[in-house]
Coordinates of all heavy atoms in Angstrom, one line a residue:
A290 N -68.5 257.4 97.5 CA -68.5 258.8 97.1 C -69.4 259.7 97.9 O -69.5 260.9 97.8 CB -69.0 258.8 95.6
Q291 N -70.1 259.1 98.9 CA -70.9 259.9 99.9 C -70.1 260.4 101.0 O -70.5 261.4 101.6 CB -72.0 259.0 100.4 CG -73.0 258.5 99.4 CD -73.7 259.7 98.7 OE1 -74.4 260.5 99.4 NE2 -73.6 259.8 97.4
T292 N -68.9 259.8 101.3 CA -68.1 260.2 102.4 C -66.6 260.4 102.1 O -65.9 260.9 103.0 CB -68.2 259.2 103.5 OG1 -67.7 257.9 103.1 CG2 -69.6 259.0 104.0
D293 N -66.1 260.0 100.9 CA -64.7 260.1 100.6 C -64.3 261.5 100.2 O -64.8 262.1 99.2 CB -64.4 259.1 99.4 CG -62.9 259.0 99.2 OD1 -62.2 260.0 99.0 OD2 -62.4 257.8 99.3
D294 N -63.5 262.2 101.0 CA -63.1 263.6 100.7 C -62.3 263.7 99.4 O -62.3 264.8 98.9 CB -62.2 264.1 101.9 CG -62.9 264.2 103.2 OD1 -64.1 264.2 103.2 OD2 -62.2 264.2 104.2
R295 N -61.7 262.7 98.8 CA -61.0 262.8 97.5 C -61.9 262.5 96.4 O -61.6 262.9 95.2 CB -59.9 261.8 97.5 CG -58.8 262.2 98.5 CD -57.7 261.0 98.7 NE -58.4 259.9 99.3 CZ -58.3 258.6 98.8 NH1 -57.4 258.3 97.9 NH2 -58.9 257.7 99.4
H296 N -63.1 261.9 96.6 CA -64.0 261.5 95.5 C -65.4 261.8 96.0 O -66.3 261.0 96.0 CB -63.9 260.0 95.2 CG -62.5 259.6 94.8 ND1 -61.9 259.9 93.6 CD2 -61.5 259.0 95.5 CE1 -60.7 259.5 93.5 NE2 -60.4 258.9 94.7
C297 N -65.7 263.1 96.4 CA -67.0 263.4 97.0 C -68.0 263.7 95.9 O -68.0 264.6 95.1 CB -66.8 264.7 97.8 SG -68.2 265.1 98.8
G298 N -69.0 262.8 95.9 CA -70.1 262.9 94.9 C -69.7 262.2 93.6 O -70.6 262.0 92.7
G299 N -68.5 262.0 93.4 CA -68.0 261.4 92.1 C -66.5 261.3 92.1 O -65.8 261.9 92.9
C300 N -66.0 260.6 91.2 CA -64.5 260.4 91.1 C -63.8 261.7 90.9 O -64.2 262.6 90.1 CB -64.2 259.4 89.9 SG -64.8 257.8 90.2
N301 N -62.7 261.8 91.6 CA -61.7 262.9 91.5 C -62.3 264.3 91.8 O -61.9 265.3 91.3 CB -61.1 263.0 90.1 CG -60.4 261.7 89.8 OD1 -59.7 261.1 90.6 ND2 -60.6 261.2 88.6
N302 N -63.4 264.3 92.6 CA -64.0 265.6 93.0 C -63.6 265.8 94.5 O -64.3 265.4 95.4 CB -65.5 265.5 92.9 CG -66.2 266.8 93.2 OD1 -65.6 267.9 93.1 ND2 -67.4 266.8 93.8
A303 N -62.4 266.3 94.7 CA -61.8 266.5 96.0 C -62.4 267.7 96.8 O -62.6 268.8 96.1 CB -60.3 266.6 96.0
C304 N -62.7 267.6 98.0 CA -63.1 268.7 98.9 C -61.9 269.6 99.2 O -60.8 269.1 99.2 CB -63.7 268.2 100.2 SG -65.2 267.2 100.0
G305 N -62.2 270.8 99.4 CA -61.1 271.8 99.7 C -60.6 271.7 101.1 O -61.2 271.0 101.9
A306 N -59.6 272.5 101.4 CA -59.0 272.5 102.8 C -60.1 272.9 103.8 O -60.9 273.8 103.5 CB -57.9 273.5 102.8
G307 N -60.2 272.2 104.9 CA -61.2 272.5 105.9 C -62.6 272.0 105.6 O -63.5 272.3 106.3
Q308 N -62.7 271.2 104.5 CA -64.0 270.7 104.2 C -64.0 269.2 104.3 O -63.0 268.6 104.3 CB -64.4 271.0 102.7 CG -64.7 272.5 102.5 CD -65.2 272.7 101.1 OE1 -64.7 272.1 100.1 NE2 -66.1 273.6 100.9
A309 N -65.2 268.6 104.5 CA -65.4 267.2 104.6 C -66.5 266.8 103.6 O -67.4 267.6 103.3 CB -65.7 266.8 106.0
C310 N -66.5 265.6 103.2 CA -67.6 265.0 102.3 C -68.7 264.4 103.2 O -68.4 263.5 103.9 CB -67.0 264.0 101.4 SG -68.2 263.4 100.2
T311 N -69.9 264.9 103.1 CA -71.1 264.4 103.8 C -72.2 264.3 102.8 O -72.5 265.3 102.1 CB -71.5 265.3 104.9 OG1 -70.3 265.5 105.8 CG2 -72.6 264.8 105.7
A312 N -72.8 263.1 102.6 CA -73.9 262.9 101.7 C -73.5 263.3 100.3 O -74.3 263.8 99.6 CB -75.1 263.5 102.2
G313 N -72.3 263.1 99.9 CA -71.8 263.4 98.5 C -71.6 264.9 98.2 O -71.4 265.2 97.1
Q314 N -71.6 265.7 99.3 CA -71.4 267.1 99.1 C -70.2 267.6 100.0 O -70.2 267.2 101.2 CB -72.6 267.9 99.5 CG -73.9 267.6 98.7 CD -73.8 268.2 97.3 OE1 -73.3 269.3 97.1 NE2 -74.2 267.4 96.3
C315 N -69.4 268.4 99.5 CA -68.3 269.0 100.3 C -68.9 270.1 101.1 O -69.7 270.9 100.6 CB -67.2 269.6 99.4 SG -66.3 268.3 98.5
G316 N -68.5 270.2 102.4 CA -69.0 271.2 103.3 C -68.1 271.4 104.4 O -67.0 270.8 104.5
A317 N -68.5 272.3 105.3 CA -67.6 272.6 106.5 C -67.3 271.4 107.2 O -68.0 270.4 107.4 CB -68.3 273.6 107.4
S318 N -66.0 271.3 107.8 CA -65.6 270.2 108.6 C -65.5 270.8 110.0 O -64.8 271.7 110.3 CB -64.2 269.8 108.1 OG -63.7 268.8 109.0
C319 N -66.3 270.2 110.9 CA -66.4 270.7 112.3 C -65.8 269.7 113.2 O -66.0 268.5 113.1 CB -67.9 270.9 112.7 SG -68.8 271.9 111.5
G320 N -65.0 270.2 114.2 CA -64.5 269.4 115.3 C -65.5 269.3 116.4 O -66.4 270.2 116.5
A321 N -65.4 268.3 117.2 CA -66.3 268.1 118.4 C -66.2 269.4 119.3 O -65.1 269.9 119.4 CB -65.9 266.9 119.1
P322 N -67.2 269.8 119.9 CA -68.6 269.3 119.9 C -69.5 269.8 118.8 O -70.7 269.7 118.9 CB -69.1 269.7 121.3 CG -68.5 271.1 121.4 CD -67.1 271.0 120.8
L323 N -68.9 270.4 117.8 CA -69.7 271.1 116.7 C -70.2 270.1 115.7 O -69.6 269.0 115.5 CB -68.9 272.2 116.0 CG -68.4 273.3 116.9 CD1 -67.5 274.3 116.1 CD2 -69.5 274.0 117.7
T324 N -71.4 270.4 115.1 CA -72.0 269.6 114.1 C -72.3 270.4 112.8 O -72.6 271.6 113.0 CB -73.4 269.1 114.6 OG1 -73.1 268.3 115.8 CG2 -74.1 268.2 113.6
V325 N -72.1 269.8 111.6 CA -72.4 270.6 110.4 C -73.9 270.6 110.3 O -74.6 269.6 110.2 CB -71.8 269.9 109.2 CG1 -72.2 270.7 107.9 CG2 -70.3 269.8 109.3
C326 N -74.5 271.8 110.2 CA -75.9 272.1 110.0 C -76.0 273.0 108.8 O -75.6 274.1 108.9 CB -76.6 272.7 111.2 SG -76.8 271.6 112.6
G327 N -76.4 272.4 107.6 CA -76.4 273.2 106.4 C -74.9 273.4 106.0 O -74.2 272.4 105.8
A328 N -74.4 274.6 105.9 CA -73.1 274.8 105.5 C -72.3 275.4 106.6 O -71.1 275.9 106.5 CB -73.0 275.8 104.3
A329 N -72.8 275.4 107.9 CA -72.1 276.0 109.0 C -71.9 275.0 110.1 O -72.7 274.0 110.2 CB -72.9 277.2 109.5
C330 N -71.0 275.3 111.0 CA -70.7 274.5 112.2 C -71.6 275.1 113.3 O -71.6 276.3 113.5 CB -69.3 274.5 112.6 SG -68.2 273.7 111.4
T331 N -72.2 274.2 114.1 CA -73.0 274.7 115.2 C -72.9 273.7 116.3 O -72.6 272.6 116.2 CB -74.5 274.9 114.7 OG1 -75.2 275.5 115.8 CG2 -75.2 273.6 114.4
N332 N -73.2 274.3 117.5 CA -73.2 273.4 118.7 C -74.7 273.1 119.0 O -75.4 273.9 119.5 CB -72.6 274.1 119.9 CG -72.4 273.2 121.1 OD1 -73.1 272.3 121.3 ND2 -71.5 273.6 122.0
T333 N -75.1 271.9 118.7 CA -76.5 271.5 118.9 C -76.9 271.4 120.3 O -78.0 271.2 120.7 CB -76.8 270.2 118.1 OG1 -75.9 269.2 118.6 CG2 -76.6 270.3 116.6
Q334 N -75.9 271.5 121.2 CA -76.2 271.5 122.7 C -76.7 272.8 123.2 O -77.3 272.9 124.2 CB -75.0 271.0 123.4 CG -74.6 269.6 123.1 CD -75.7 268.6 123.4 OE1 -76.2 268.5 124.6 NE2 -76.2 267.9 122.4
S335 N -76.3 273.9 122.4 CA -76.7 275.3 122.9 C -77.3 276.2 121.9 O -77.7 277.3 122.2 CB -75.4 275.9 123.5 OG -74.4 276.1 122.5

């Protein structure tokens, strides 16, 4: 339930479109080279 997009934080708690489950919370889903920082995608290289 910490990483499953269909059961995020608990059973049947699905993340919305464009979101991913991280540490049991649905948040922004970022493609490389971006990283989720808080609720936003950021490039930690710049």
Side-chain angles (χ1 to χ4, degrees):
Q291 296 297 300
T292 59
D293 191 300
D294 293 341
R295 294 170 294 137
H296 305 283
C297 190
C300 295
N301 302 317
N302 185 30
C304 294
Q308 291 186 321
C310 184
T311 305
Q314 299 287 322
C315 292
S318 176
C319 306
L323 302 179
T324 301
V325 177
C326 289
C330 295
T331 188
N332 187 336
T333 58
Q334 295 300 299
S335 61

